Amino acid sequence: MQFNVKFFASLAERTGLTDITLDAHQLTTVADVWDRATDHQSRPANTLCSINLVHARFEDHVHDGDEIAFFPPVTGG
Amino acid sequence: MQFNVKFFASLAERTGLTDITLDAHQLTTVADVWDRATDHQSRPANTLCSINLVHARFEDHVHDGDEIAFFPPVTGG
Amino acid sequence: MAVRLSGVVFDPWQELSQQAANLPKGKHGACASFVGTMRDFNLGDTVQSMTLEHYPEMTQHFLDNTVAAACTRWDLIDCLIVHRYGDIRPGDAIVLIAAWSPHRAEAFDACHFLIEELKARAPFWKKETTDHSTRWVHDSTAD
Amino acid sequence: MAVRLSGVVFDPWQELSQQAANLPKGKHGACASFVGTMRDFNLGDTVQSMTLEHYPEMTQHFLDNTVAAACTRWDLIDCLIVHRYGDIRPGDAIVLIAAWSPHRAEAFDACHFLIEELKARAPFWKKETTDHSTRWVHDSTAD
């Protein structure tokens, strides 16, 4: 399975990751993607995520080819 | 006592009055001013009034020199 | 703070632009505005034109007081009200309301308060000419 | 309906003016709009500048969907959202929201819905440079 994984704002600074391609097997949920992509770095409690540009939850299932993003609470407008 | 009495919109058309100077004695309330100015024409139930540019009630007292206005429900904006 | 009654067509976006240009930069975080425009239909009829009568001195007095009331209630940097009177054509702006504040909720609430007070209590009266008659508008509070 | 992300300064009043000019005359009675502008202060500090990071594809997708949701919920003739990203200076417009409707309450409610959804869920992140530091803004929902 292959995933496009993105990190934004303070999470990009914290993890040192911005935009990576993750080749991995046995990943079921968004939480699994975080763990594998960050090599099990701790995840800040208020971290948000999306699957294919739509807000998601960490327990949501992922599929081959998904774009998974991680970001802190939003502060636009 | 002298009053400047104004009528607006449909009330001006109905009463045939727009802006008159009323010289009269023994007028206590706005309702009295209506009766004297219109020669006791009936007053539509939804008629509004003002004293010196401020919304008023028909039972409010009037004083020499007051500007009294009568108008239908407002429809601006 | 400005309240202006206009007997001729006004451009609401230009009014907003000019008012905003005179504000100190960086102090307001929010501007909420409302523009009411004349429609060419009402109560199922096509409306050709409209005359807006008003009570000039009371209108000015009422709107000035309403702006002052808004300023005591919310943290406002500026307010603008422009209202047409006289003969009006479909598409013309009738009313512009704007409120500038450091904060979003205060700008929204003040703008909403100003237009609702104006609609409910400012002494304006619409007389519209439709295809088959000329009539006073009885209630436009929901429009 | 238009959703536009801008990497450079935009003039909210000109955007509104242009969008309104393209609408059929006489159909909308109401336009409610909101402009959010960068302040030069936050949390007691003077702010020199700000960088707005965003997730471009998701931002566009989210805002398009939010406009579509507003259109199913209210009777809207048009909506406009413009949002800045990149380097921003105090006084610059950050966001413009506008909703046109035949009716006042619908325009207000839709405009309010759009800005609240955007503030709560659109993927933008502010990093501000103050007199003594550069920091990510943690919460701006009330601003």
Side-chain angles (χ1 to χ4, degrees):
Chain A
M1 299 167 85
Q2 196 176 67
F3 304 95
N4 181 11
V5 187
K6 292 170 180 279
F7 298 80
F8 289 95
S10 57
L11 275 190
E13 291 181 1
R14 181 189 175 109
T15 61
L17 303 167
T18 54
D19 191 342
I20 62 173
T21 300
L22 181 68
D23 283 294
H25 293 278
Q26 295 179 310
L27 297 185
T28 308
T29 65
V30 175
D32 294 338
V33 173
W34 169 277
D35 287 340
R36 193 69 62 87
T38 66
D39 196 18
H40 295 273
Q41 288 184 37
S42 69
R43 194 176 81 212
N46 57 10
T47 300
L48 303 173
C49 61
S50 65
I51 303 174
N52 298 329
L53 311 182
V54 175
H55 288 281
R57 292 165 307 171
F58 282 89
E59 63 268 32
D60 287 344
H61 284 213
V62 295
H63 302 92
D64 185 36
D66 281 351
E67 175 169 305
I68 312 294
F70 299 102
F71 42 86
V74 304
T75 55
Chain B
M1 298 167 86
Q2 197 177 66
F3 303 96
N4 182 11
V5 187
K6 292 168 180 279
F7 298 81
F8 289 95
S10 56
L11 275 190
E13 292 180 0
R14 180 188 176 110
T15 61
L17 303 168
T18 54
D19 191 342
I20 62 174
T21 301
L22 181 69
D23 282 295
H25 292 279
Q26 295 178 311
L27 297 185
T28 307
T29 66
V30 174
D32 296 337
V33 172
W34 169 277
D35 287 340
R36 193 69 62 86
T38 66
D39 197 15
H40 296 272
Q41 288 184 36
S42 70
R43 196 177 81 212
N46 57 11
T47 300
L48 302 174
C49 61
S50 65
I51 303 174
N52 298 328
L53 312 181
V54 176
H55 288 281
R57 292 165 307 171
F58 282 91
E59 63 268 30
D60 287 345
H61 284 213
V62 294
H63 301 92
D64 186 36
D66 280 351
E67 176 169 304
I68 312 295
F70 300 102
F71 43 85
V74 304
T75 55
Chain C
M1 307 292 157
V3 172
R4 196 163 70 76
L5 302 170
S6 173
V8 294
V9 173
F10 72 93
D11 179 336
W13 320 115
Q14 201 177 319
E15 297 279 346
L16 283 165
S17 181
Q18 283 171 5
Q19 193 79 7
N22 289 326
L23 297 179
K25 272 201 174 188
K27 298 310 168 203
H28 59 279
C31 174
S33 66
F34 176 80
V35 176
T37 306
M38 190 185 156
R39 299 180 314 194
D40 60 9
F41 61 95
N42 192 26
L43 303 172
D45 293 309
T46 298
V47 180
Q48 311 287 4
S49 67
M50 187 167 80
T51 301
L52 241 172
E53 183 176 335
H54 71 142
Y55 180 0
E57 301 83 0
M58 184 173 169
T59 307
Q60 187 76 45
H61 186 71
F62 175 78
L63 294 177
D64 285 344
N65 279 358
T66 306
V67 166
C71 288
T72 63
R73 196 159 153 190
W74 292 286
D75 181 10
L76 300 179
I77 289 166
D78 203 4
C79 285
L80 174 63
I81 298 179
V82 184
H83 202 294
R84 267 295 284 286
Y85 62 88
D87 295 332
I88 302 181
R89 298 270 160 190
D92 285 3
I94 298 171
V95 61
L96 162 65
I97 305 271
W100 283 266
S101 169
H103 305 291
R104 177 166 95 261
E106 310 225 7
F108 258 114
D109 290 349
C111 180
H112 195 254
F113 167 80
L114 291 171
I115 183 64
E116 295 303 322
E117 283 290 299
L118 187 154
K119 299 279 293 189
R121 306 186 72 215
F124 290 100
W125 303 278
K126 290 174 178 167
K127 189 179 202 173
E128 58 189 20
T129 300
T130 71
D131 283 344
H132 37 267
S133 72
T134 294
R135 64 190 182 193
W136 290 100
V137 176
H138 289 303
D139 183 10
S140 65
T141 50
D143 287 346
Chain D
M1 307 292 158
V3 172
R4 195 163 70 76
L5 301 170
S6 173
V8 294
V9 173
F10 71 93
D11 179 336
W13 321 115
Q14 201 178 318
E15 297 280 346
L16 283 166
S17 180
Q18 283 171 5
Q19 193 79 6
N22 289 327
L23 298 179
K25 272 202 172 190
K27 300 308 167 203
H28 60 278
C31 174
S33 66
F34 176 80
V35 176
T37 306
M38 190 186 156
R39 299 180 312 195
D40 60 9
F41 60 96
N42 192 27
L43 303 172
D45 292 309
T46 297
V47 180
Q48 312 286 3
S49 67
M50 187 167 79
T51 301
L52 242 170
E53 182 174 338
H54 71 141
Y55 180 1
E57 301 83 1
M58 183 173 172
T59 307
Q60 188 76 44
H61 186 72
F62 175 79
L63 294 179
D64 286 343
N65 280 358
T66 306
V67 165
C71 289
T72 63
R73 194 159 155 190
W74 293 284
D75 181 10
L76 300 179
I77 289 167
D78 203 4
C79 286
L80 173 64
I81 298 180
V82 184
H83 201 295
R84 267 293 287 283
Y85 62 88
D87 295 332
I88 302 181
R89 296 271 160 189
D92 285 3
I94 298 171
V95 60
L96 162 65
I97 305 272
W100 283 265
S101 170
H103 304 291
R104 176 166 96 262
E106 310 224 10
F108 258 115
D109 290 349
C111 180
H112 195 253
F113 168 80
L114 291 171
I115 183 65
E116 296 303 322
E117 282 292 297
L118 186 154
K119 298 279 295 189
R121 307 186 70 215
F124 289 101
W125 304 277
K126 291 174 177 167
K127 188 179 201 173
E128 59 190 20
T129 301
T130 70
D131 283 344
H132 36 267
S133 72
T134 294
R135 64 190 181 194
W136 291 100
V137 175
H138 290 300
D139 183 10
S140 65
T141 50
D143 287 347

